[in-house]
Amino acid sequence: MTMVTCELMWIKQFLQELRFCEELQMKLYCDNQTALHIVSNPIFHERTKHIEIDCHFIREKILSKEIVTELIGSNDQPAALRRPRIQAICSKLGAYDLYAPA
C-alpha cells in the first residue's frame, strides 16, 4: 500500500504541474481487511512494529484526505483477473476473439 500511495502522490503532483487535474481524493483499493484496519488504527501492537513507518505515511495521507482506502474483493481486482473473468467482461462488452476456432 505504501508503494502504491507513493506512486499515486507522484502521479498527482505530475498532473498538477501540467495543470491537468483538480484537487480530488484518490481511491486506494485493497483486498486485505487487516491491512486497512492497521492503517486506520492509531495504536500499534508488537505484530506491527516492523511496518510502523509505512503505516504512519499512509495514515497521514488518509487524515489529510489525499487518499481514501476502500475494500475490494479478491475476485474483483482488475490486476488479478483470471481467464474466465476476462471472458465474462469481454462478452459484456461485445468483444470476441478473432482467432478462436469457428
Side-chain angles (χ1 to χ4, degrees):
M1 287 176 67
T2 304
M3 290 177 63
V4 171
T5 302
C6 289
E7 290 292 323
L8 285 173
M9 299 313 299
W10 183 87
I11 290 170
K12 182 178 181 178
Q13 182 66 33
F14 179 69
L15 292 174
Q16 285 176 344
E17 287 177 10
L18 294 175
R19 302 191 192 285
F20 192 70
C21 72
E22 303 173 13
E23 287 285 327
L24 298 174
Q25 290 181 334
M26 296 175 286
K27 289 185 181 179
L28 178 62
Y29 294 102
C30 181
D31 69 341
N32 189 334
Q33 224 172 12
T34 304
L36 292 175
H37 288 299
I38 289 172
V39 169
S40 64
N41 186 3
I43 299 171
F44 288 101
H45 303 286
E46 283 297 317
R47 295 185 314 187
T48 60
K49 187 181 258 185
H50 65 284
I51 56 172
E52 190 170 328
I53 294 171
D54 293 342
C55 288
H56 281 297
F57 175 72
I58 296 172
R59 186 174 300 126
E60 175 186 313
K61 299 301 177 188
I62 291 171
L63 291 175
S64 67
K65 300 199 187 287
E66 293 182 62
I67 64 168
V68 177
T69 55
E70 288 190 25
L71 183 66
I72 187 171
S74 297
N75 293 332
D76 299 327
Q77 286 190 17
L81 292 177
R82 302 285 185 252
R83 186 168 182 87
R85 182 82 172 137
I86 291 172
Q87 289 173 339
I89 291 170
C90 288
S91 68
K92 286 181 182 179
L93 292 171
Y96 58 90
D97 186 4
L98 292 173
Y99 303 106

